[in-house]
């Protein structure tokens, strides 16, 4: 699959996720086999005003390449300015979010709001493509609701407007994250475009990933499945190439990866905020390990890196002690 100079067969992409796919998590997923990673969605209005808090969201590093910066907006002029400003950060490509379902965004014609207004959607894509030499891609949904599924028209328009790939979260805006992603649409959309199609929605196992590739899509994108299990990329690649399910990572590897990820988070955000915002990741790293209820409670109380590391090391020691 090609996006500009990127050429990867059947890429496994890490989905953009607000407050989750920050630089430390992207680096960890990359190490565990993600082929392409995306920043969380970032406001074009914030980028053109060079707001420090917003610019922090789109910091990228060499270790995570290829990496896309995802932006959103409801004004073509702001998208144009943001695309120009992003060029100096030199991501591998820019992705446009046309799928966020959240009320205050759609009210400003941002995200999935564009699914109600194809001419504006088109202007947004065209303005972004025209503003930059970087490849531009689009991530969207099936349509506004089940009565207005317009993805085939939208997909054609996205291609004709110069986008280099389309990611489809196979839900409507009104579904938000509820119900099921309807992968049958991938096959239909694949028939109407010649740019690469990346499928997204409800991938949690290597078997799911294989099944989604069987719809004919060129790449797949994993969101919540990677929060629950960042090893999913390695497991899926192994399954796709051998047909065998890899054993789960061992307890040492899980604890060591958790500590490494936390250290990166602290480096990136400072100690207090880094430890506090890491809490959402414990469930994924501790998944499947024995007797973790009290450990989880203790980790939730920690405010310092050394406290977390102590708790995790003590847990590991007691695990080995009880085994002997
Ligand atoms: C916590 C969270 C934050 C998200 N933030 C974004 C975002 O910033 N940009 C975006 O395009 N989609 C965002 N999404 C949607 C995901 O990228 C993805 O399309 C959706 O979760 C479906 O994929 P999944 O079933 O693999 O999770 C977010 C989803 C979650 C759960």
């Amino acid at each position: 699959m090609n996006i500009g100079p990127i050429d990867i067969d059947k890429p496994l992409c890490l989905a953009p996720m607000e407050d989750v796919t920050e630089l430390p998590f992207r680096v960890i997923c990359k190490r565990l086999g993600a082929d392409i990673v995306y920043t969380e969605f970032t406001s074009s209005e914030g980028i053109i005003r060079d707001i420090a808090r917003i610019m922090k969201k789109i910091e990228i590093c060499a270790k995570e390449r290829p990496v896309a910066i995802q932006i959103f907006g409801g004004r073509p002029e702001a998208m144009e300015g943001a695309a120009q400003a992003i060029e100096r950060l030199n991501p591998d490509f820019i992705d446009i979010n046309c799928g966020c379902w959240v009320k205050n965004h759609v009210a400003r014609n941002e995200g999935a709001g564009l699914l109600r207004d194809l001419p504006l959607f088109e202007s947004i894509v065209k303005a972004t493509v025209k503003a930059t030499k970087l490849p531009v891609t689009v991530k969207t949904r099936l349509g506004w609701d089940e009565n207005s599924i317009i993805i085939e028209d939208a997909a054609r328009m996205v291609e004709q407007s110069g986008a280099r790939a389309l990611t489809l979260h196979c839900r409507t805006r009104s579904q938000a994250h509820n119900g099921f992603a309807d992968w049958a649409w991938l096959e239909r959309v694949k028939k109407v475009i010649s740019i690469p199609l990346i499928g997204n929605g409800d991938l949690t196992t290597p078997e799911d990933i294989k099944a989604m590739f069987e719809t004919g899509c060129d790449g797949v994108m994993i969101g919540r499945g990677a929060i629950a299990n960042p090893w999913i990329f390695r497991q899926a690649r192994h399954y796709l190439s051998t047909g065998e399910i890899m054993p789960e990572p061992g307890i040492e590897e899980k604890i060591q990866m958790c500590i490494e990820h936390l250290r990166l988070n602290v480096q990136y955000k400072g100690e207090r905020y880094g430890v506090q915002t890491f809490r959402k990741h414990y469930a994924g790293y501790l998944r499947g390990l024995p007797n973790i209820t009290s450990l989880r409670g203790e980790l939730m109380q920690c405010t310092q890196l050394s406290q977390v590391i102590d708790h995790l090391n003590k847990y590991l020691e007691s695990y080995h002690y009880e085994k002997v």
Side-chain angles (χ1 to χ4, degrees):
M1 185 190 101
N2 290 86
I3 298 176
I6 301 169
D7 180 5
I8 303 173
D9 188 36
K10 292 197 157 120
L12 307 173
C13 308
L14 171 66
M17 286 182 283
E18 188 179 23
D19 292 335
V20 177
T21 55
E22 299 155 321
L23 193 149
F25 189 58
R26 299 196 305 266
V27 168
I28 292 291
C29 288
K30 188 84 205 178
R31 199 170 307 164
L32 292 174
D35 294 303
I36 303 177
V37 298
Y38 293 64
T39 68
E40 63 185 283
F41 75 155
T42 309
S43 160
S44 53
E45 303 287 349
I47 295 171
I48 57 175
R49 288 170 183 78
D50 203 21
I51 297 171
R53 177 178 53 82
I54 303 287
M55 299 311 284
K56 178 84 181 160
K57 290 173 186 265
I58 52 176
E59 259 179 42
I60 53 173
C61 75
K63 282 186 197 155
E64 55 177 325
R65 286 188 185 281
V67 54
I69 291 181
Q70 192 190 59
I71 58 175
F72 68 88
R75 283 196 315 121
E77 303 75 19
M79 293 297 281
E80 190 183 323
Q84 282 163 359
I86 283 173
E87 271 198 347
R88 74 186 139 85
L89 305 177
N90 197 25
D92 293 276
F93 61 100
I94 295 177
D95 187 61
I96 309 177
N97 176 303
C98 307
C100 175
W101 59 276
V102 174
K103 225 178 185 174
N104 56 355
H105 288 300
V106 297
R108 292 193 292 258
N109 294 325
E110 299 163 351
L114 294 168
L115 289 163
R116 287 179 305 192
D117 188 343
L118 273 192
L120 178 61
F121 192 161
E122 182 174 8
S123 315
I124 292 276
V125 180
K126 283 187 169 160
T128 314
V129 168
K130 194 163 160 239
T132 175
K133 290 190 283 298
L134 293 168
V136 172
T137 61
V138 168
K139 177 169 181 280
T140 192
R141 293 181 178 239
L142 300 175
W144 182 256
D145 61 21
E146 61 187 2
N147 300 315
S148 58
I149 293 187
I150 46 117
I151 188 58
E152 287 160 300
D153 287 343
R156 282 188 206 97
M157 175 278 287
V158 161
E159 174 165 21
Q160 282 158 14
S161 302
R164 309 285 276 274
L166 174 70
T167 301
L168 178 59
H169 177 189
C170 303
R171 283 188 173 83
T172 60
R173 184 269 168 182
S174 65
Q175 279 182 286
H177 283 116
N178 304 317
F180 297 101
D182 184 356
W183 298 354
W185 282 100
L186 292 170
E187 215 169 320
R188 294 176 205 144
V189 171
K190 183 71 194 154
K191 287 191 183 126
V192 301
I193 54 172
S194 53
I195 52 173
L197 177 65
I198 302 173
N200 171 240
D202 299 347
L203 295 173
T204 57
T205 65
E207 291 95 326
D208 292 341
I209 290 169
K210 183 165 186 279
M212 187 179 268
F213 272 121
E214 282 162 7
T215 66
C217 61
D218 303 280
V220 299
M221 178 180 272
I222 304 146
R224 291 163 296 173
I227 312 178
N229 172 25
W231 280 269
I232 192 165
F233 301 101
R234 191 167 83 183
Q235 293 165 340
R237 183 58 70 206
H238 184 79
Y239 184 67
L240 290 174
S241 55
T242 66
E244 285 166 16
I245 295 287
M246 270 181 104
E248 280 275 304
I251 183 164
E252 267 89 5
E253 187 178 357
K254 285 189 172 179
I255 301 289
Q256 184 232 320
M257 196 63 74
C258 178
I259 293 175
E260 205 171 323
H261 184 180
L262 174 61
R263 281 190 202 281
L264 286 173
N265 214 46
V266 164
Q267 256 175 38
Y268 179 66
K269 296 180 176 175
E271 177 149 21
R272 200 175 175 83
Y273 194 50
V275 171
Q276 193 191 328
T277 56
F278 194 75
R279 292 174 185 158
K280 57 184 163 258
H281 293 290
Y282 291 126
Y285 286 111
L286 302 179
R287 194 176 58 101
L289 298 182
N291 307 321
I292 50 162
T293 316
S294 67
L295 172 66
R296 233 178 11 218
E298 285 158 356
L299 295 177
M300 290 299 177
Q301 303 300 317
C302 292
T303 52
Q304 290 168 12
L305 174 63
S306 60
Q307 294 170 329
V308 178
I309 295 178
D310 275 358
H311 282 303
L312 289 171
N313 284 335
K314 278 192 193 129
Y315 170 76
L316 204 53
E317 272 167 34
S318 72
Y319 172 83
H320 287 307
Y321 178 75
E322 278 161 31
K323 246 176 79 180
V324 175

